[in-house]
Amino acid sequence: MFHCHLHLGTSSWSSPDWVGPFYPPGTPPERFIEHYATRYDTVEVDATYYRMPTRANVEAWRSRTPEGFTFAVKTPGVITHEKALVDVADDMARFLEVITGLGSRLGPVLLQFPYFNKQAFASAAPFLERLDAFLGTLPREIRFAVEVRNKAWV
């Protein structure tokens, strides 16, 4: 028999617009994740796409959520978009070192790629070769998810 555990969450927890409709009035931003974790058991951390998280960020996320909560963490855009996996070993190692501070709360690490035009990659093949080589360097004990935005490549 196939068994599936489904997680339900959102792509962030930090929207001030949620105060009132979701967060109780007066909830300070640093307490958002605590309240969020009472309703959902997972969240995608979109903020890590825009900047490398600090150890203090990660420790705060971990300490403010219960055991069993899962963070799906987006890889920084400098790795996936700006450098498109070229010369990113140090950046990726630093990122993984920091986010593994989530411990058992670390879910999949999302490698989200932009739409690549023909100037970036003439076809899917060169990108997939680069991706395959990159994936071979990643630690097996961490789960990764890949999102490619070129519909013709899927």
Side-chain angles (χ1 to χ4, degrees):
M1 174 177 252
F2 179 73
H3 180 264
C4 177
H5 182 83
L6 185 65
H7 293 274
L8 181 64
T10 65
S11 62
S12 177
W13 68 85
S14 62
S15 181
D17 295 347
W18 292 9
V19 175
F22 182 75
Y23 298 123
T27 304
E30 63 272 10
R31 304 295 301 266
F32 286 179
I33 190 62
E34 291 174 45
H35 181 77
Y36 178 97
T38 66
R39 304 285 175 92
Y40 297 103
D41 69 350
T42 192
V43 71
E44 178 185 294
V45 185
D46 191 53
T48 53
Y49 169 82
Y50 299 100
R51 66 188 164 283
M52 189 79 66
T54 65
R55 283 187 170 84
N57 295 139
V58 169
E59 172 55 30
W61 301 338
R62 190 188 61 71
S63 68
R64 292 178 177 157
T65 55
E67 191 61 45
F69 191 85
T70 302
F71 289 91
V73 183
K74 196 177 285 189
T75 301
V78 67
I79 295 169
T80 57
H81 287 59
E82 293 174 34
K83 295 182 179 180
L85 305 181
V86 174
D87 296 326
V88 297
D90 290 343
D91 296 319
M92 193 67 181
R94 206 168 42 254
F95 175 62
L96 294 177
E97 181 182 336
V98 171
I99 64 162
T100 55
L102 287 169
S104 64
R105 290 168 181 73
L106 178 60
V109 174
L110 175 60
L111 296 158
Q112 180 188 67
F113 295 96
Y115 173 83
F116 290 116
N117 62 30
K118 296 220 182 275
Q119 286 73 37
F121 292 98
S123 68
F127 170 75
L128 294 174
E129 288 174 21
R130 185 181 298 178
L131 177 63
D132 187 52
F134 176 77
L135 294 175
T137 69
L138 298 176
R140 301 256 182 236
E141 61 274 7
I142 297 175
R143 293 176 290 164
F144 294 89
V146 175
E147 179 182 338
V148 178
R149 294 189 170 183
N150 292 55
K151 288 188 284 187
W153 293 7
V154 177

